[in-house]
Amino acid sequence: MTGLASLDLAAIPDEDEALRPAVRAFLEEAVCSRPADRRARSWSGYDPAFSRELARRGWLGLTLPPEYGGGGRSSFARFVIAEEMLNAGAPVGSHWIADRQSGPLILKYGTEDQKRFYLPRICRGEAFFCIGMSEPNAGSDLASIATRAEREGDQWVLNGQKIWTTNAHGSHFMIALVRTSGSTSDRQKGLSQVIIDLSLPGVTVRPIEDLSGDSHFCEVFFENVRLRPDALIGTEGQGWEQVTAELAFERSGPERIYSSMVLLDEWLAFVRTKMGGSPASTRLAGRLAAHLAPLRALSIAVTEKLSRGESPVVEAALVKDLGTSFEQMVPAVIADDLGSRAPELVPMELWQTLAYATQSSPSYSLRGGTREILRGMIARGLGLR
Ligand SMILES: Cc1cc2nc3c(=O)[nH]c(=O)nc-3n(C[C@H](O)[C@H](O)[C@H](O)COP(=O)(O)OP(=O)(O)OC[C@H]3O[C@@H](n4cnc5c(N)ncnc54)[C@H](O)[C@@H]3O)c2cc1C
């Protein structure tokens, strides 16, 4: 049990809990009157003006040091903000990836110049990032990445393709995993991370429509894109190790548990009414709360590790696997509950929110790493493989 034995329960410190009332009051005014099916899109909702307003209030880049414009707070502070945003269904998609993982990655591996350039822009809500890991032939099998950056003089010349890149069409920069030496048969060796300015000549971004009709992810093509020497982030050839650490940020947070939260809230509001209440729905509400409470505790326990600067890769995989199972269960069981009623007695907004969550939920256990891959990592962490 070596890999998971250290996942102790943790509590959110009082000074971070203290952020909650102000954030909640702001969201009540700014977001809560929007239709529920729109709020249900939360972290795929793109709204730069909203992101800049959060920045103005000091709620972006909370974990980054003050000398780079950040809040100098712990990962718990970010957890509180993230939890409130997702519960309200705030449109956080534009700044989310920069705030969650690109900023911390640049802080950890970047040069002083890179930190001074990117981090204040992230904290001001002016630099949005996307993640360029997946390729048509490299999703779960990331080690077979074929996009190449080759040295030419003091520049890097980039060729290849990324796919499923969330919000590439709304981002200024991509942090991409690319091959800087060797071939795909070298697997993890020869991979590096580069920061790509998406406005450069040779970059083409094409949105892809998903099942629900939204276009939040894209294909991105690179054709002889010339990158400056300082596009490399971290150490050449160490991309695999860097990406593994980055994925712990991506997999552990409440967004891997709370994707169906707006639907759950809408449904609870309905079953609290005279028309919507029934013994079966009360039992179901209790069952869902019993699933949610330990999951939240797990996510907070991982946050504690992140706040100590650790990289809890296996624990984050565990939270993501259990968390996405919960967020997929919510629309399924709510559909069962509502399906047993006369359709006209259920509010239209609740049906619409259920329809969106049902269409988007298959992706929850794909994005950020598939269930089968995570379970392989957990098995290894438990010493079973
Ligand atoms: C909504 C959404 C947003 C995304 N955003 C991004 C993004 O911003 N950036 C980015 O880089 N990527 C992103 N992705 C891509 C995502 O990370 C990949 O889809 C995922 O890693 C799976 O890769 P794949 O699609 O190539 O599937 P494959 O790897 O081909 O997998 C297909 C199936 O086979 C299973 N499988 C594969 N290998 C094994 C194995 N060894 N053992 C057992 N089963 C296996 C998988 O678990 C899966 O069920 C996003 C995906 C979605 C759905």
Side-chain angles (χ1 to χ4, degrees):
M1 293 271 290
T2 46
L4 293 171
S6 57
L7 197 54
D8 296 325
L9 284 179
I12 298 175
D14 289 345
E15 71 264 23
D16 299 319
E17 276 295 342
L19 283 165
R20 224 180 269 280
V23 180
R24 209 170 269 186
F26 163 69
L27 291 172
E28 183 66 39
E29 193 144 298
V31 172
C32 291
S33 61
R34 298 180 184 190
D37 68 315
R38 200 167 133 216
R39 288 188 290 114
R41 283 157 167 84
S42 195
W43 62 278
S44 58
Y46 179 75
D47 187 342
F50 180 81
S51 296
R52 277 194 288 276
E53 180 56 26
L54 291 185
R56 205 182 63 72
R57 289 165 185 262
W59 294 332
L60 289 199
L62 268 176
T63 62
L64 298 173
E67 65 261 37
Y68 303 117
R73 306 279 300 248
S74 74
S75 301
F76 287 114
R78 187 178 178 277
F79 183 95
V80 168
I81 302 280
E83 190 168 50
E84 291 301 324
M85 295 291 155
L86 297 166
N87 278 342
V92 292
S94 36
H95 68 269
W96 202 239
I97 287 168
D99 187 72
R100 175 181 70 197
Q101 65 196 80
S102 314
L105 181 123
I106 292 168
L107 181 68
K108 188 165 179 185
Y109 298 110
T111 61
E112 192 52 35
D113 282 349
Q114 286 171 331
K115 291 183 208 174
R116 295 214 171 276
F117 182 81
Y118 293 108
L119 298 184
R121 287 171 170 77
I122 289 176
C123 297
R124 292 197 298 265
E126 291 169 2
F128 303 145
F129 279 69
C130 57
I131 307 160
M133 293 189 195
S134 304
E135 297 184 3
N137 294 311
S140 300
D141 185 17
L142 263 191
S144 54
I145 270 179
T147 294
R148 294 189 79 87
E150 289 185 320
R151 284 232 186 238
E152 215 179 279
D154 68 347
Q155 293 187 323
W156 294 98
V157 180
L158 184 69
N159 281 288
Q161 183 194 347
K162 295 288 171 184
I163 195 166
W164 315 127
T165 318
T166 297
N167 198 23
H169 49 343
S171 294
H172 306 99
F173 302 101
M174 172 193 282
I175 297 190
L177 184 65
V178 299
R179 195 160 286 287
T180 44
S181 65
S183 68
T184 48
S185 59
D186 292 316
R187 309 288 296 159
Q188 289 96 336
K189 278 189 270 166
L191 295 175
S192 306
Q193 285 188 296
V194 288
I195 308 182
I196 303 162
D197 177 343
L198 293 174
S199 68
L200 286 172
V203 178
T204 306
V205 178
R206 266 196 227 141
I208 307 171
E209 204 170 279
D210 77 1
L211 202 60
S212 69
D214 290 349
S215 300
H216 49 86
F217 49 26
C218 304
E219 292 180 290
V220 186
F221 300 87
F222 307 109
E223 206 180 327
N224 291 320
V225 180
R226 296 196 160 265
L227 304 177
R228 290 170 15 163
D230 65 357
L232 181 77
I233 174 136
T235 311
E236 189 179 340
Q238 292 295 305
W240 186 261
E241 289 73 12
Q242 293 177 200
V243 150
T244 306
E246 181 186 342
L247 283 168
F249 285 107
E250 180 171 353
R251 289 176 176 160
S252 59
E255 69 266 43
R256 304 306 177 181
I257 303 174
Y258 286 11
S259 301
S260 302
M261 215 42 134
V262 171
L263 170 64
L264 182 54
D265 253 358
E266 282 297 297
W267 175 75
L268 282 173
F270 172 60
V271 301
R272 281 192 199 104
T273 63
K274 216 170 177 176
M275 178 94 76
S278 73
S281 51
T282 306
R283 275 197 301 278
L284 179 56
R287 202 177 121 209
L288 292 172
H291 274 278
L292 182 57
L295 272 173
R296 180 173 184 268
L298 270 178
S299 184
I300 293 172
V302 173
T303 302
E304 207 260 342
K305 287 185 161 293
L306 292 174
S307 76
R308 282 196 266 125
E310 293 178 30
S311 185
V313 173
V314 179
E315 290 85 344
L318 180 78
V319 172
K320 193 201 173 243
D321 182 34
L322 293 171
T324 54
S325 297
F326 172 76
E327 46 182 30
Q328 287 178 333
M329 175 174 77
V330 170
V333 295
I334 289 180
D336 279 350
D337 177 80
L338 297 183
S340 67
R341 301 160 188 260
E344 65 278 10
L345 299 182
V346 176
M348 186 49 78
E349 198 168 334
L350 181 51
W351 280 128
Q352 283 164 340
T353 312
L354 174 65
Y356 170 73
T358 303
Q359 285 170 332
S360 66
S361 66
S363 73
Y364 301 165
S365 54
L366 296 174
R367 59 190 187 192
T370 66
R371 176 168 284 140
E372 292 77 7
I373 297 299
L374 297 178
R375 290 188 179 170
M377 292 170 64
I378 296 162
R380 255 196 308 281
L382 291 169
L384 299 172
R385 277 180 87 188

